[in-house]
């Protein structure tokens, strides 16, 4: 493994540590194992990517910005391999983040409908394309509220503002891999999943993402991405941030 | 002698069997069949909200059968959901019967997995089997039984099903299936399990729940401070070691396990519900057709209660009441006793006859209608239609269903609000349920009263109450501090054709309860009023309230009696009011104002208690007070508006 790769692996480790609220140097050393090269750490410190003192180690603001891109590529790659190819996701993705360019990453992200979690359930850092809701590449995954009434689709991802809600949906079998049929949009969304009918509000419906069926995809005319919907999503994201 | 005592003792050992299952999977039906008791059954979730038990002898063995509220799994997020789980963990029943709706088997498997992990002897009871062609879905109960290593009983509603269930009760065993959740999860579970002190029960289940982020489980298992902290620390370090999200991994593994079980049971495809039923369900919640259907239901109810029950009442009073009153009037010479029996506050006229001849037919008609709506599963579809309106007044989540249930019984509906997480939403829901929603018995009698003065009055009544509720909700939504609102996710039960026998039985039981609980109130109330009148207390109270009652509300002073009766039971008060309207004591406007104020005034005692249990005594009483004051203010305003409108 060359030095650049190695440094990037260190940065990723620090990102994971940060996600589990961990910043002890001892922990980092254990994670890095025998291969730890103090020289590389010093270089990272010189580049102002990390800050190290007696017993803690963490990413600097600059380091975070850089690593966010790595993590994003890594987790998107996992999604791609897991969702599209149906394969075990860890093997290929390791290398992926060191190679791809930002434009390619954004295209993959758009293709997958801007997923928010990797297959392990960890958050995928958002990119420019997510914030702008780019749909230049026709998405294969769309929110449930963009389905037509009577249409059937397979669920790709389910997001929820809190665990409780995710759990409720899970209990109703609204989960990735299940097939749902949209029965009604107004005054409430009604879907059919595994023989039971479930009423939802538009917020919940927008958080369930489904695969677009093949024939629809071919004939697809991109639906206008209305102002109303964008406003809704902005509000939704705001709420999510405040809630979290 | 000693030996004899011993055998007696052994024979008296009682096994406790809990019936658990998802909401609306027929638990109460099974309970009723096993115990010969009757618990209200209906085709929607939340019908049973409290544990109910009865001791019975089955095949010579003594059992305590326990009916429980719906349960999705053993994972809890909030203190409210703790109740059912603690019941299972602490009371530790000797056996569990899991009810599963055979139309939606997969939905129940998550709970089955949890129950298998619980390790308590288990049997599965497949319900709604009458509606399902098992061959159609390729489902074989015997295969499932073999796969899980526990009895699986198909429960038909003809008594044979109950017999099959009774036969397996005395040899229930825990499932022999060992569940694995993949290497990563299994290793965490094993390490955690080992970290718990060995005297802790349900260690494996506790480990699984801890992984899912259930913060209540340590406390629930009675781990004291140090052990709990140690377990929590152990878990945290294990959690950090993984680079994935164990919650999601576990969910994924469970989904796989469910698949494995379904395959093991030979299930291949699903059955669609009947075509007509689906069509009706779709129409009932359709934005265009839904409202005419609701309207039609209201019209039919109105006709049934006003015309149908009115005819029965006419016949009854012609054949029974009039002759009896006449006989007594001529036979009893003492004026005191004549009044006591058949006077204006007579124990027979106001008490018994009023209850049985006037109120009973009204309630019968109404309960038949309510039973129809309940058993078809129509009511939850209303939540689809009303959600947007209710969203404007701060009711966005589970409260919508609670509010709909308020039309059945306000006390029960108040108790279902314990599942609402948002404090604001819960408070609004409790307030609105207690305020201007008439409970089923009151609504029935209200309709009967208004039916006597015309359809227009009925419409004004509906409009007024709806307006009051929306205004109150709107104000509460504005003044209460915002919190994290809830999203709306509501399962809709499949529409089923109602069965005549089931509805007759349910109506019968409801009337029986009414006779048992409300008729004594009618009789006692008539005695109390009779006494109050004789001692002059009634007149003093009336004089005291006269400015408000006659001045502001424009009602005759006699209405004070109705208001007093409202404190005890609303349908008793409504019954008295019905009596007064029949006697021609009230004008058109007065009747309307009186009906509206008795609907809003003082929630019944049980409802107040339920409120206090949900939100604390101080708030509960405060709401009661606010409701009482506003009901006087609003009814007065209605009075003046009606007068100004020239009615």
């Amino acid at each position: 493994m060359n030095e650049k790769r190695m440094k990037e692996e260190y940065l990723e480790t620090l990102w994971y540590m940060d996600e589990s609220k961990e910043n002890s140097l001892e922990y980092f050393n254990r994670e890095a194992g025998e291969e730890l090269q103090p020289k590389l750490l010093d270089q990272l410190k010189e580049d102002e990517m990390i800050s190290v003192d007696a017993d803690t180690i963490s990413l600097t603001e600059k380091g975070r910005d850089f690593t966010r891109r790595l993590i994003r590529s890594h987790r998107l790659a996992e999604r791609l391999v897991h969702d599209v190819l149906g394969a075990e996701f860890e093997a290929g993705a390791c290398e992926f983040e060191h190679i791809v360019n930002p434009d390619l990453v954004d295209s993959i992200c758009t293709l997958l409908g801007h997923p928010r979690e990797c297959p392990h359930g960890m958050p995928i850092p958002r990119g420019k394309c997510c914030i702008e809701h780019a749909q230049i590449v026709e998405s294969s995954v769309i929110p449930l509220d963009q389905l037509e009434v009577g249409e059937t689709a397979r669920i790709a991802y389910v997001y929820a503002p809190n665990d409780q809600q995710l759990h409720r949906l899970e209990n109703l079998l609204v989960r990735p891999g299940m097939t749902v049929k949209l029965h009604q949009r107004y005054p409430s969304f009604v879907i059919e999943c595994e023989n039971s009918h479930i009423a939802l509000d538009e917020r919940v419906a927008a958080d369930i993402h489904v695969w677009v069926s093949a024939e629809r995809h071919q004939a697809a005319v991109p639906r206008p991405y209305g102002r109303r919907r964008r406003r809704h999503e902005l509000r939704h994201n705001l709420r999510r941030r405040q809630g979290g | 002698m000693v030996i004899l005592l011993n055998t007696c003792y052994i024979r008296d050992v009682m096994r406790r069997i809990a019936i658990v299952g998802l909401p609306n999977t027929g638990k109460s039906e099974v309970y009723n069949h096993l115990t010969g008791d009757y618990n209200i059954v209906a085709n929607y979730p939340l019908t049973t909200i409290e544990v109910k038990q009865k001791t019975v002898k089955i095949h010579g063995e003594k059992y305590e059968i326990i009916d429980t509220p719906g349960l999705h799994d053993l994972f809890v997020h909030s203190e409210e959901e703790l109740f059912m789980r603690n019941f299972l963990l602490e009371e530790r029943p000797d056996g569990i019967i899991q009810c599963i709706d055979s139309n939606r088997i997969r939905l129940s498997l998550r709970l089955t997995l949890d129950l298998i992990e619980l390790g308590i002897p288990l049997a599965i009871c497949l319900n709604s089997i009458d509606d399902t062609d098992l061959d159609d879905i390729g489902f074989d109960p015997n295969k499932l039984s073999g796969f899980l290593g526990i009895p699986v009983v198909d429960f038909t509603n003809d008594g044979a099903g109950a017999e099959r269930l009774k036969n397996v009760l005395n040899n229930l065993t825990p499932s022999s299936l060992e569940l694995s959740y993949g290497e990563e999860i299994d290793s965490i579970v094993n390490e955690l399990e080992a970290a718990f002190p060995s005297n802790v029960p349900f260690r494996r289940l506790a480990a699984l729940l801890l992984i899912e982020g259930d913060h209540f489980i340590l406390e629930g298992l009675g781990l004291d401070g140090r052990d709990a902290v140690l377990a929590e620390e152990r878990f945290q370090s294990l959690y950090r070691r993984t680079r994935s999200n164990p919650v999601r991994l576990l969910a994924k593994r469970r989904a796989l396990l469910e698949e494995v079980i379904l395959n093991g049971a030979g299930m291949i495809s699903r059955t669609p519900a009947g075509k007509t039923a689906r069509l009706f369900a779709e129409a009932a919640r359709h934005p265009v057709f839904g409202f005419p259907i609701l309207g039609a239901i209201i019209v039919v109810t109105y006709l049934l209660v006003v015309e149908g029950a009115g005819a029965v009442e006419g016949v009854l009073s012609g054949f029974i009441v009039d002759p009896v009153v006449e006989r007594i009037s001529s036979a009893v010479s003492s004026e005191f006793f004549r009044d006591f029996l058949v006077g204006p506050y007579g124990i027979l006229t106001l008490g018994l006859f009023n209850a049985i001849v006037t109120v009973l037919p009204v309630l019968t008609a109404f309960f038949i209608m309510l039973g129809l709506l309940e058993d078809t599963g129509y009511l939850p579809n209303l939540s689809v239609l009303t959600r947007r309106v209710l969203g404007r007044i701060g009711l966005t989540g589970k409260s919508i269903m609670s509010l709909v249930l308020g039309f059945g019984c306000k006390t029960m509906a108040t108790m279902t609000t314990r599942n609402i997480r948002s404090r604001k939403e819960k408070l609004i829901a409790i307030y609105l349920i207690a305020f201007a929603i008439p409970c089923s018995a009151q609504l029935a009698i209200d309709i009967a009263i208004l039916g006597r003065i015309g359809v227009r009055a009925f419409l004004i009544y509906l409009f007024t109450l709806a307006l009051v509720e929306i205004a109150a909700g709107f104000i509460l939504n504005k003044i209460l501090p915002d919190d994290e609102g809830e999203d709306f996710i509501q399962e809709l039960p499949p529409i089923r054709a109602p069965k005549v026998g089931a509805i007759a039985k349910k109506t019968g039981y409801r009337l029986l309860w009414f006779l048992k609980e409300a008729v004594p109130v009618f009789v006692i109330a008539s005695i109390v009023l009779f006494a109050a009148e004789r001692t002059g207390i009634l007149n003093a109270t009336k004089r005291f309230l006269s400015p408000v009652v006659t001045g502001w509300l424009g009602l005759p002073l006699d209405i004070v009696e109705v208001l007093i009766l409202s404190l005890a039971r609303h349908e008793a008060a409504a019954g008295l009011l019905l009596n007064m309207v029949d006697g021609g004591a009230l004008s058109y406007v007065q009747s309307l104002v009186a009906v509206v104020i008795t609907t809003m005034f003082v929630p019944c005692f049980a409802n107040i208690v339920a409120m206090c249990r949900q939100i604390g005594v101080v708030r509960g009483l405060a709401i009661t007070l606010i409701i009482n004051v506003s009901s006087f203010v609003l009814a007065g305003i209605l009075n003046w508006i009606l007068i100004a409108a020239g009615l």
Side-chain angles (χ1 to χ4, degrees):
Chain A
M1 207 181 280
N2 64 32
E3 290 191 348
K4 176 172 167 287
R5 271 298 159 86
M6 203 69 211
K7 279 199 273 190
E8 289 182 355
E9 290 288 335
Y10 290 162
L11 291 172
E12 283 184 53
T13 301
L14 285 169
W15 181 278
Y16 298 140
M17 282 169 61
D18 186 58
E19 277 180 340
S20 48
K21 308 269 178 287
E22 177 66 64
N23 67 351
S24 80
L25 193 54
E26 187 206 333
Y27 186 94
F28 177 80
N29 287 338
R30 206 169 50 232
E31 282 289 299
E34 296 154 9
E35 300 162 30
L36 180 70
Q37 300 179 33
K39 186 187 82 185
L40 297 181
L41 273 191
D42 289 340
Q43 284 178 15
L44 282 173
K45 216 155 66 177
E46 259 168 49
D47 294 344
E48 293 179 347
M49 297 289 237
I50 60 171
S51 64
V52 186
D53 60 27
D55 47 31
T56 68
I57 178 167
S58 60
L59 292 168
T60 61
E61 202 49 46
K62 186 179 163 198
R64 281 189 66 80
D65 278 347
F66 182 80
T67 316
R68 180 177 299 120
R69 284 204 293 276
L70 291 177
I71 296 289
R72 179 169 150 76
S73 314
H74 183 108
R75 290 185 176 160
L76 275 172
E78 285 179 354
R79 268 263 77 110
L80 183 71
V81 175
H82 179 261
D83 293 351
V84 181
L85 310 177
E88 272 302 322
F89 33 84
E90 194 51 59
C94 259
E95 304 297 312
F96 190 85
E97 75 265 29
H98 308 289
I99 303 161
V100 291
N101 70 48
D103 283 348
L104 181 56
V105 171
D106 279 2
S107 297
I108 292 170
C109 184
T110 306
L111 179 78
L112 294 175
H114 311 288
R116 295 178 218 161
E117 285 172 359
C118 75
H120 299 90
M122 302 304 283
I124 299 175
R126 316 214 82 188
K128 216 174 114 201
C129 67
C130 309
I131 294 152
E132 290 171 353
H133 295 300
Q135 286 206 316
I136 306 141
V137 184
E138 174 69 14
S139 292
S140 295
V141 175
I142 57 168
L144 180 79
D145 63 353
Q146 289 185 17
L147 275 186
E148 302 293 339
V149 169
E151 219 176 334
T152 302
R154 197 162 58 85
I155 298 178
Y157 331 114
V158 176
Y159 305 114
N162 53 53
D163 278 355
Q164 191 188 26
Q165 184 154 316
L166 193 70
H167 202 80
R168 273 179 76 195
L169 290 168
E170 177 84 20
N171 276 335
L172 292 168
L173 297 178
V174 178
R175 58 166 80 135
M178 289 295 178
T179 303
V180 289
K181 183 174 181 191
L182 182 65
H183 276 281
Q184 184 175 339
R185 310 171 63 90
Y186 192 87
S188 307
F189 281 84
V190 177
I191 59 169
E192 184 179 348
C193 180
E194 276 296 313
N195 238 1
S196 52
H197 288 81
I198 304 158
L200 310 166
D201 64 22
E202 43 284 345
R203 274 201 306 245
V204 182
D207 270 355
I208 299 171
H209 286 60
V210 296
W211 288 100
V212 180
S213 60
E215 62 269 33
R216 177 184 164 136
H217 205 205
Q218 276 159 14
V221 184
R223 279 168 72 98
Y225 221 61
R227 244 167 73 201
R228 204 173 133 199
R229 157 125 190 103
R230 209 169 301 142
R231 235 186 12 241
H232 163 74
E233 196 138 307
L234 278 176
R235 221 175 28 233
H236 193 65
N237 290 338
L238 196 68
R239 205 172 69 99
R240 192 181 295 281
R241 270 205 298 279
Q242 284 166 346
Chain B
M1 196 61 199
V2 174
I3 296 166
L4 196 69
L5 272 176
N6 261 341
T7 46
C8 279
Y9 175 74
I10 290 169
R11 198 173 281 166
D12 260 6
V13 167
M14 183 176 65
R15 264 177 285 181
R16 314 181 68 216
I17 308 284
I19 305 172
V20 304
L22 264 57
N24 199 26
T25 47
K27 296 177 289 297
S28 296
E29 191 76 49
V30 170
Y31 173 85
N32 293 343
H33 271 285
L34 285 183
T35 60
D37 209 353
Y38 189 77
N39 221 359
I40 280 279
V41 290
N43 178 15
Y44 50 74
L46 297 173
T47 316
T48 306
I49 44 179
E50 300 231 293
V51 170
K52 194 178 177 194
Q53 50 222 16
K54 191 176 180 187
T55 310
V56 287
K57 233 179 198 149
I58 295 170
H59 299 328
E61 305 268 346
K62 216 167 160 194
Y63 293 97
E64 184 177 46
I65 309 289
I66 308 162
D67 190 14
T68 65
L71 178 73
H72 272 108
D73 53 41
L74 294 179
F75 178 87
V76 299
H77 292 271
S78 60
E79 304 221 5
E80 287 84 358
E81 291 168 324
L82 260 182
F83 171 76
M84 253 310 285
R85 188 177 72 191
N86 280 353
F87 173 79
L88 287 177
L89 296 187
E90 284 165 17
E91 305 270 316
R92 251 183 274 179
D94 304 298
I96 292 177
I97 298 173
Q98 187 195 357
C99 287
I100 293 183
D101 180 345
S102 54
N103 287 307
R104 295 172 297 162
I105 293 169
R106 185 198 283 264
L107 211 56
S108 286
L109 289 180
R110 166 68 210 271
L111 181 59
T112 310
L113 290 177
D114 275 7
L115 292 176
I116 289 174
E117 291 289 6
L118 195 63
I120 291 179
L122 183 67
I124 285 178
C125 177
L126 287 172
N127 284 334
S128 309
I129 215 105
D130 305 354
D131 308 345
T132 318
D133 189 352
L134 287 184
D135 290 338
D136 234 27
I137 54 172
F139 186 82
D140 183 348
N142 292 329
K143 273 193 186 165
L144 182 64
S145 170
F147 191 76
L148 297 178
I150 52 172
V152 176
V153 174
D154 48 331
F155 188 86
T156 42
N157 223 339
D158 54 4
E163 215 39 58
R164 279 194 292 274
L165 193 57
K166 284 176 184 175
N167 286 336
V168 303
L169 273 189
N170 64 350
N171 52 4
L172 297 184
T173 52
S175 167
S176 52
L177 202 62
E178 269 182 43
L179 302 175
S180 160
Y181 303 92
E183 223 172 282
E184 197 165 359
I185 297 289
D186 280 351
S187 79
I188 300 183
V189 169
N190 290 338
E191 284 196 46
L192 269 178
E193 210 183 331
F196 288 127
S198 57
N199 60 344
V200 173
F202 307 121
R203 288 200 299 276
R204 192 174 153 81
L205 181 76
L208 284 167
L209 291 173
L210 211 54
I211 292 174
E212 279 188 274
D214 184 325
H215 304 292
F216 298 95
I217 185 63
L218 295 176
E219 207 180 310
L221 290 177
L223 277 178
D224 62 14
R226 210 181 115 262
D227 286 339
V229 170
L230 276 179
E232 185 75 33
E233 269 173 11
R234 185 96 198 95
F235 168 65
Q236 287 301 341
S237 76
L238 286 171
Y239 197 103
R240 252 181 255 134
R241 216 179 54 195
T242 63
R243 274 206 181 167
S244 42
N245 181 337
V247 183
R248 297 299 172 84
L249 265 188
L250 187 54
K252 220 169 270 175
R253 290 295 175 180
R254 281 218 176 93
L256 276 176
L257 279 175
E258 289 166 15
E259 206 69 45
V260 169
I261 293 178
L262 286 178
N263 285 337
M267 185 158 159
I268 34 170
S269 63
R270 299 167 293 122
T271 162
K275 247 198 167 131
T276 335
R278 282 177 92 96
L279 218 64
F280 178 73
E282 273 163 35
R285 55 183 177 243
H286 192 271
V288 178
F289 304 119
F291 291 101
I293 289 178
L294 176 61
I297 288 171
I298 294 176
V299 169
V300 171
T301 311
Y302 180 87
L303 290 177
L304 207 60
V305 169
V306 174
E307 305 298 335
V312 174
E313 190 207 338
V315 173
L316 283 180
S317 44
F319 279 94
I320 303 173
V321 180
D322 297 345
V324 171
V325 170
E326 226 166 87
R327 284 281 160 79
I328 291 177
S329 303
S330 54
V332 180
S333 52
S334 147
E335 192 226 325
F336 179 87
F337 280 110
R338 200 167 52 222
D339 272 2
F340 178 73
L341 288 174
V342 294
Y345 303 106
I347 188 168
L348 286 181
T349 32
L350 179 60
L352 206 57
F353 290 158
N354 190 28
I356 292 177
V357 174
T358 316
V359 176
L360 206 59
V362 166
L363 288 182
T364 311
F366 189 84
F367 284 159
I368 289 174
M369 199 63 204
L370 186 66
L372 274 174
L373 294 181
E374 282 178 347
D375 283 17
T376 49
Y378 169 78
L379 288 176
N381 288 300
L382 276 184
S383 66
V384 176
L385 287 182
T386 52
R387 181 187 65 80
R388 273 172 195 269
V389 179
L390 295 175
R392 306 240 163 208
I393 57 175
L395 303 179
T396 55
K398 299 192 194 89
S399 54
I400 296 172
M401 195 54 198
S402 293
L403 213 62
V404 171
L405 293 179
F407 287 94
C409 171
K410 293 161 79 150
T411 308
M412 298 282 233
T414 304
M415 270 142 80
T416 63
T417 62
R418 74 163 166 230
N419 295 318
I420 302 174
R421 257 196 348 156
S422 151
R423 289 173 64 87
K424 174 181 180 172
E425 192 168 339
K426 186 170 176 173
L427 207 63
I428 297 179
I430 286 179
Y431 187 91
L432 294 185
I433 290 168
F435 195 22
I437 289 185
C439 67
S440 56
Q442 167 134 43
L443 181 59
I445 304 171
D446 280 357
I447 295 174
I449 296 173
L450 296 165
R452 282 158 163 74
I453 58 174
V455 180
R456 192 179 56 183
F458 177 61
L459 293 177
I460 295 176
Y461 161 85
L462 284 185
F463 178 75
T464 310
L465 293 186
L467 193 70
V468 163
E469 285 283 280
I470 290 172
F474 194 75
I475 294 169
L476 285 173
N477 191 25
K478 280 270 177 280
I479 58 174
L480 290 174
D482 272 325
D483 59 9
E484 196 192 342
E486 243 175 65
D487 287 333
F488 174 68
I489 303 170
Q490 173 69 52
E491 204 193 342
L492 305 170
I495 296 280
R496 297 210 175 98
K499 295 196 174 77
V500 177
I503 291 180
K505 191 172 174 187
K506 178 148 67 172
T507 308
Y509 270 99
R510 284 198 160 128
L511 292 174
L512 200 68
W513 289 329
F514 169 75
L515 290 175
K516 272 209 304 229
E517 289 176 24
V519 170
V521 176
F522 273 62
V523 175
I524 292 166
S526 65
I527 295 174
V528 170
L529 284 176
F530 178 77
E533 204 240 337
R534 289 277 156 166
T535 51
I537 295 174
L538 189 59
N539 273 330
T541 317
K542 283 181 181 174
R543 262 199 307 282
F544 176 73
L545 287 174
S546 130
V548 181
V549 173
T550 51
W552 172 243
L553 295 174
L555 294 173
L557 268 180
D558 287 347
I559 214 75
V560 170
E561 295 148 21
V562 177
L563 294 179
I564 292 173
L565 215 51
S566 287
L567 297 170
R569 277 188 83 97
H570 266 219
E571 71 266 44
L576 178 59
L577 190 61
L578 181 58
N579 205 32
M580 290 171 75
V581 174
D582 271 347
L586 299 176
S587 71
Y588 186 87
V589 172
Q590 284 175 330
S591 304
L592 239 174
V593 173
V595 169
V596 168
I597 195 169
T598 45
T599 303
M600 293 192 291
F601 180 67
V602 139
C604 74
F605 187 69
N607 191 0
I608 298 176
V609 173
M611 282 202 287
C612 292
R613 268 174 55 185
Q614 293 305 323
I615 50 174
V617 176
V618 177
R619 283 166 175 226
L621 294 181
I623 287 187
T624 310
L625 189 71
I626 296 171
I627 286 178
N628 283 346
V629 173
S630 16
S631 66
F632 269 95
V633 172
L634 292 168
I637 294 174
L638 176 68
N639 174 39
W640 293 107
I641 290 176
L642 291 178
I643 289 173
L647 289 169

